[in-house]
Amino acid sequence: MYLNRLSRRVFLRRLAKVAIVAALQNAHAGTVSRDDPRLEVGTLEYGGMRCYVARPRGDPDKLPALVVLHDGRGVDPHVQDIARRAALEGFNAVAPEMPGALPEREAVDDLIVLIDDLAARHGTRRIGAIGFGRGGGMANQLAVRSARVGAVASFYGSVPDAVDVPRIKARLILHYAERDTRTNTGVPAFEAALKAAGIPHAVHMYPGTGPAFHDDGGEAAELAWRRTIDFLKDALR
């Protein structure tokens, strides 16, 4: 009987710990309120694509633009929060809703149209892209295919073909999860091609993490975010 009671207490303590961790993770998913008075948020169209937009109050034409590319879940509350977090750092953040069934090349074609519209409408040459999962792969493809993109931050994104790497004009910061073996297979050849082409880049591998580690709000996520913001501010200043 005593052992059963003890086991129950241990179980309840562990259950409480799980609940606390879950609460912290959910809190991270909404770190910047959509009602934050420092920001303007809403929905606009760029290049015919519906976009969630977040930016500091003021003149967006004076800001560097940042295209936020979601993974397979669409522009969910977490992606919207990423846009708001970027806005607080001084970016005109634009998160387009990309159809999941669209082949990657066609999706990137649409994103190039969006970026051209963004550049024309705001008269800016300071445009970056940040992407996660599928969006991270698209961010890498934008680096290859759009000369307007000056900086790319890719989180566990698929890599472009090595033969295309010399076309990249952007600076890159690349974040990978140690346990994401499928994506990581192509990383060594990608890094070697970047070095051979003399393209400024940084590659970070986060020990003990799995795919989508940025979603959980843990230590690796916060480190990757700070590295990304510092990189983007320097690259797009």
Side-chain angles (χ1 to χ4, degrees):
M1 180 67 72
Y2 173 75
L3 289 176
N4 287 340
R5 289 177 179 173
L6 180 61
S7 298
R8 185 171 182 272
R9 286 199 297 271
V10 171
F11 171 76
L12 290 173
R13 283 200 299 268
R14 290 177 178 173
L15 188 63
K17 183 177 180 180
V18 169
I20 291 170
V21 171
L24 289 173
Q25 291 176 349
N26 289 336
H28 174 78
T31 54
V32 179
S33 170
R34 60 186 178 183
D35 299 320
D36 192 304
R38 296 169 291 179
L39 300 179
E40 295 177 349
V41 300
T43 303
L44 293 173
E45 279 198 5
Y46 286 99
M49 298 181 71
R50 185 173 183 271
C51 303
Y52 179 83
V53 176
R55 59 201 183 201
R57 291 192 176 276
D59 186 355
D61 295 349
K62 296 180 179 179
L63 302 174
L66 183 64
V67 181
V68 182
L69 303 175
H70 61 74
D71 58 13
R73 296 170 300 179
V75 183
D76 64 6
H78 179 64
V79 172
Q80 293 176 15
D81 184 62
I82 288 170
R84 292 193 297 269
R85 292 175 71 187
L88 285 184
E89 298 288 350
F91 295 95
N92 178 14
V94 176
E97 186 69 62
M98 299 177 292
L102 199 64
E104 184 177 278
R105 183 166 188 85
E106 293 180 31
V108 174
D109 288 342
D110 288 347
L111 289 172
I112 291 171
V113 174
L114 177 150
I115 287 168
D116 290 345
D117 186 19
L118 188 63
R121 199 180 306 184
H122 296 292
T124 182
R125 296 183 179 180
R126 297 182 297 159
I127 300 176
I130 180 173
F132 303 84
R134 183 171 185 259
M138 290 184 188
N140 287 334
Q141 290 297 330
L142 282 174
V144 170
R145 296 180 53 199
S146 175
R148 291 189 187 277
V149 176
V152 162
S154 176
F155 283 73
Y156 26 86
S158 59
V159 305
D161 292 337
V163 69
D164 291 329
V165 169
R167 297 171 57 190
I168 295 175
K169 304 300 181 186
R171 292 169 55 182
L172 294 92
I173 186 168
L174 308 168
H175 304 288
Y176 295 100
E178 184 181 48
R179 296 201 297 267
D180 186 5
T181 54
R182 183 171 64 91
T183 301
N184 294 348
T185 300
V187 173
F190 185 27
E191 187 173 12
L194 289 169
K195 288 179 179 177
I199 295 166
H201 68 282
V203 178
H204 299 286
M205 186 71 67
Y206 295 84
T209 61
F213 72 84
H214 189 265
D215 293 1
D216 67 15
E219 183 177 343
E222 292 302 327
L223 175 59
W225 178 255
R226 181 42 52 194
R227 283 171 168 167
T228 295
I229 291 300
D230 290 345
F231 161 79
L232 291 171
K233 285 182 175 181
D234 183 61
L236 300 176
R237 60 186 174 184

